[in-house]
Amino acid sequence: MPVSATEITRRAPEPSSEEPVIRFVELWKSFGPKKIYEGLNLDVKKGETLTIIGGSGSGKSVLLKCLIGLMYPDQGQVLLHEENVAQMNEKQLREVRKRVSMVFQGAALFDSLSVGENIAYPLNEHLKLSHDELTERVARVLKLVNLPGVEHMRPSDLSGGMRKRVGLARAIAIEPEIILYDEPSTGLDPISTRVIDELILSMKEKLGCTQIVVTHDMDSAFRVSDRMAMLAHRKIVAQGTVAEFKASTHPDVRAFLDARAS
């Protein structure tokens, strides 16, 4: 049955399956002399929340940008339902961006637009909604991120945590299949960080989304993840559940976790 244009789809929560919805296959990427990936491989399962950890500059955020066509690997494949995003043209990428939304590190809001106009921006880009449908959709997603009634405020009037939530509202407004989070808790106090973590968990429960989270915050990673993956030495060197990561004796994982705990 088609979903009403004025409603945000509440998909039944699905347990993570073994079916990969996203696959990074033998990725190689460099920026000038700096090598980022050398044969990186990673699968993301349908319905799971996968968190990618690793040192600064290791290329965690680059993976997200490759998935939505903001960057391209030098070699390898970025597969979304077995379609290679790395070979898509701009028209094909527009279709991908209807299914995959990204919450950027700084929220990436337009300061010249109101909150409501920021959220409406991708809706106007990708969907054809009436004014009433658009207004209703914006109100609904703001309610989902616990910010009802702030449509007419400006981003400059919001706290850091509120800006992050508006960024999430904009991301979910197009009803994505996949949500990407680039350092969602950076710059936030512990209370605001906890709010963002709860929203990430809520998006999976209410919308049934597959999610990839990039973060340095291990407390957040342990709270929101179904699985975790560590990027080091230009490859994914470890993968596993939260419990497996906490108990890991892998030298890179152990060094990273011990450094964050000190």
Side-chain angles (χ1 to χ4, degrees), residues 131-203:
H131 175 76
D132 288 346
E133 289 172 334
L134 192 64
T135 300
E136 179 69 15
R137 180 74 67 92
V138 169
R140 284 179 179 271
V141 295
L142 282 171
K143 186 176 181 180
L144 276 177
V145 299
N146 302 320
L147 285 177
V150 304
E151 288 90 333
H152 300 295
M153 293 183 69
R154 294 281 174 175
S156 58
D157 297 325
L158 305 176
S159 68
M162 292 173 73
R163 288 173 66 92
K164 296 269 189 177
R165 283 188 275 165
V166 171
L168 177 53
R170 183 176 61 185
I172 65 175
I174 59 171
E175 301 182 1
E177 172 189 348
I178 298 161
I179 305 177
L180 313 177
Y181 301 86
D182 187 9
E183 300 285 1
S185 60
T186 295
L188 299 183
D189 60 78
I191 294 175
S192 296
T193 295
R194 175 73 72 161
V195 169
I196 296 298
D197 291 347
E198 292 298 328
L199 287 171
I200 292 172
L201 292 168
S202 177
M203 292 306 101

Side-chain angles (χ1 to χ4, degrees), residues 2 13 36 42 51 55 61-62 75 81 87 104-105 108 134 137 147 165 180 192 204 211 220 227 233 238 249 256:
I36 305 298
L42 179 65
T51 297
S61 298
V62 173
Q75 298 179 49
H81 294 298
Q87 294 182 337
F104 292 90
Q105 181 173 339
L134 192 64
R137 180 74 67 92
L147 285 177
R165 283 188 275 165
L180 313 177
S192 296
K204 179 182 176 181
Q211 303 185 111
S220 289
R227 285 195 310 127
H233 313 299
T249 58
F256 190 84

Side-chain angles (χ1 to χ4, degrees), residues 54-126:
S56 296
S58 59
K60 302 183 299 298
S61 298
V62 173
L63 272 182
L64 304 186
K65 292 175 182 177
C66 286
L67 182 56
I68 56 176
L70 294 180
M71 290 184 177
Y72 292 91
D74 300 328
Q75 298 179 49
Q77 296 179 306
V78 181
L79 301 177
L80 176 62
H81 294 298
E82 299 303 320
E83 296 183 13
N84 190 2
V85 176
Q87 294 182 337
M88 290 183 177
N89 59 35
E90 190 59 34
K91 181 179 179 181
Q92 292 170 316
L93 287 173
R94 284 176 61 85
E95 293 303 311
V96 168
R97 292 166 189 160
K98 291 179 183 179
R99 300 157 65 188
V100 184
S101 286
M102 185 163 173
V103 182
F104 292 90
Q105 181 173 339
L109 303 178
F110 299 107
D111 287 332
S112 60
L113 302 180
S114 68
V115 166
E117 290 167 338
N118 266 282
I119 295 170
Y121 188 87
L123 296 173
N124 288 325
E125 286 285 306
H126 297 301

Side-chain angles (χ1 to χ4, degrees), residues 24 42-45 48-52 210-214 224-229 239-240:
F24 300 96
L42 179 65
D43 288 356
V44 184
K45 301 172 186 177
E48 76 171 341
T49 298
L50 174 75
T51 297
I52 302 172
T210 301
Q211 303 185 111
I212 304 178
V213 181
V214 162
V224 305
S225 304
D226 295 308
R227 285 195 310 127
M228 299 174 64
Q239 301 181 54

Side-chain angles (χ1 to χ4, degrees), residues 25-30 35 37-40 72-76:
V25 182
E26 288 295 316
L27 287 198
W28 290 70
K29 179 67 177 176
S30 297
K35 296 179 179 179
Y37 310 135
E38 292 183 327
L40 179 146
Y72 292 91
D74 300 328
Q75 298 179 49

